[in-house]
Amino acid sequence: MAEHRLGILISGRGSNMRALVEASRVPDSPYEVALVASDQPDAAGLAWAVANGIATFARSPTGMAKADYEASIDGALRAAGVEAIALAGYMRLLSDDFVARWRGRVVNIHPSLLPLYKGLDTHARAIAAGDAHAGCSVHVVTEELDGGEVLGQARVPILSDDTPDTLAARVLVEEHKLYPRVVAAWLARQGRLALR
Ligand code: GRF
């Protein structure tokens, strides 16, 4: 049995979630994926998770107060025995309360070399700035958007004919390698992550 139970929050295609699940299924993985939750019930990644035998939770926040919505996600994560959360294309800002409740136990992957280009449109901004490299970062989630401690990064050269889409595709390949490696190392470094 893996030592840590990971929950993954997604909103869309879920390719990073899939990379995390696949990496968890090799011998000696320090984590197993206990739940994939989504704010988009029709997210493509959810269908993949169901087809691959992962427990899922899907609920749209439409018509719900943010606190109630987050309480439902929190409840599903706790019911699944989740100790740590990986955000993987989760397109909703977590409230300060939620972040405080899971302090130090939530990570995210962001498609830039943080602290550069927090927020959206990272690849277009890196190209417009004339940067030589783009990349991706795995960081601890804090109240500051894309602002917590960086746990690992991968760099990708920007080619002269790159568009945001071609660059995003090459960075994504690196995301799929970086995220499972950093999550495994991060979890392996900690003892039991006691639920509060
Ligand atoms: C990735 O580029 C990730 O860095 C960003 O959102 C995208 C999610 O893609 N946070 P996917 O759903 O994991 O395929």
Side-chain angles (χ1 to χ4, degrees), residues 127-185:
I127 291 170
D131 294 352
H133 290 88
C136 49
S137 307
V138 177
H139 66 92
V140 176
V141 172
T142 64
E143 287 81 352
E144 187 197 339
L145 178 69
D146 301 324
E149 181 194 356
V150 172
L151 300 174
Q153 291 185 315
R155 287 159 72 86
V156 173
I158 299 181
L159 308 179
S160 56
D161 59 351
D162 259 331
T163 65
D165 285 349
T166 59
L167 180 56
R170 289 205 317 288
V171 171
L172 192 64
V173 172
E174 298 306 316
E175 293 183 36
H176 296 162
K177 295 185 226 163
L178 180 73
Y179 209 7
R181 182 164 59 74
V182 171
V183 165

Side-chain angles (χ1 to χ4, degrees), residues 12-17 88-89 108-111 172 175:
R13 103 196 126 176
S15 68
N16 278 289
M17 174 273 299
N108 180 42
I109 186 153
H110 182 72
L172 192 64
E175 293 183 36

